[in-house]
Amino acid sequence: MLDLKAVHRAGSAAEAVRLLAETAGQGLYVAGGTILVPAGSSRLDFLVDLTAAGLSGIRVERSGGSAGTLVIGATTTVGDLLRSPEAARPAGGLLREAASSLANHTVRNLATVGGNLFAWHFPTDLPPAFLVLDASITVVGPRGERVVPLERFYTARAEVFAVVDLIADVRVPVETPGLRGAFEKHGRKRLDVALVNCAAAVRLEGGRIAEARLALGGVDRAPARRRDVEAILAGKP
């Protein structure tokens, strides 16, 4: 059971990192808190509350004539993601499809996008969709912020993410012309954490697969792109 000594409320991402780094004991960032009990332990001493850190919201950043980049704050709830018209654009609504499969209405209104990406030990439903969309994350640490490909976060976490680092947002291209995706999930019941989930997207040219993208969750230690399968599918009718 949890036996917390303190809860710190951060006013910014930088302050949250400082609080986690400078507070004695074992701490954890928290926003929605839906994984707090299963992820926490009796050795957890304090929490850093991110709900006032300014990390919520969905916006499109544009440069030049491009369609832009969809930027989703880490403490944005899955429910807000599901209701966002902007988030419905990449790959024909792939993010919305994945978000709608996650738990129930109550949990979706608490669970956050950043928490879903961070909790790799649970087969949550958003990571495969974000992987297929070639997402990156903005990571804030003691030495500032940097952008890291989400795939690297899962394949080389120790190299790109330190203990006190914080996911501030996730970024995906608003549109890749012709790319259409879908999401599938298998669990004991519909509301369960997935036993296995899958996001896929293809881009067709002349009746053939010009590009295929596939990501799986629940079949390895972390969600992963299956580039071997993508290579097999490329060029097929």
Side-chain angles (χ1 to χ4, degrees):
M1 81 184 269
L2 297 174
D3 184 18
L4 299 173
K5 298 178 177 63
V7 176
H8 301 294
R9 191 171 173 85
S12 67
E15 183 183 11
V17 170
R18 180 183 60 78
L19 287 168
L20 194 73
E22 296 179 0
T23 304
Q26 181 177 341
L28 182 72
Y29 296 120
V30 65
T34 55
I35 65 166
L36 178 59
V37 173
S41 72
S42 58
R43 294 177 295 175
L44 190 61
D45 300 303
F46 68 95
L47 301 174
V48 177
D49 181 358
L50 300 174
T51 55
L55 301 178
S56 295
I58 300 173
R59 67 185 189 276
V60 175
E61 291 184 352
R62 291 184 173 86
S63 59
S66 69
T69 299
L70 182 69
V71 182
I72 304 165
T75 60
T76 302
T77 67
V78 177
D80 286 339
L81 181 70
L82 185 57
R83 292 183 286 268
S84 167
E86 292 85 1
R89 291 174 61 183
L94 177 58
L95 284 177
R96 177 174 285 179
E97 189 175 350
S100 67
S101 74
L102 192 147
N104 56 30
H105 177 76
T106 301
V107 172
R108 289 194 294 267
N109 281 335
L110 288 172
T112 63
V113 172
N116 255 253
L117 297 180
F118 179 80
W120 58 269
H121 44 295
F122 293 97
T124 56
D125 294 326
L126 296 185
F130 277 116
L131 282 172
V132 159
L133 294 173
D134 284 340
S136 298
I137 54 175
T138 301
V139 176
V140 179
R143 292 179 290 181
E145 67 177 48
R146 59 199 182 278
V147 177
V148 175
L150 183 61
E151 188 171 10
R152 285 277 291 164
F153 177 71
Y154 292 128
T155 59
R157 185 155 175 165
E159 298 175 20
V160 301
F161 198 84
V163 173
V164 298
D165 283 345
L166 169 67
I167 297 175
D169 61 43
V170 55
R171 297 167 172 261
V172 300
V174 171
E175 291 180 6
T176 300
L179 190 71
R180 292 293 180 269
F183 179 84
E184 222 24 84
K185 171 181 177 178
H186 177 69
R188 292 172 298 173
K189 297 180 181 179
R190 189 186 72 81
L191 298 181
D192 278 349
V193 172
L195 296 174
V196 62
N197 51 23
C198 172
V202 296
R203 182 171 56 83
L204 303 178
E205 288 181 2
R208 293 184 177 273
I209 299 173
E211 179 185 11
R213 304 179 187 181
L214 180 72
L216 297 175
V219 298
D220 207 339
R221 293 188 301 170
R225 285 279 294 266
R226 288 303 306 267
R227 295 189 180 275
D228 54 339
V229 179
E230 295 174 359
I232 291 172
L233 292 174
K236 296 290 193 301

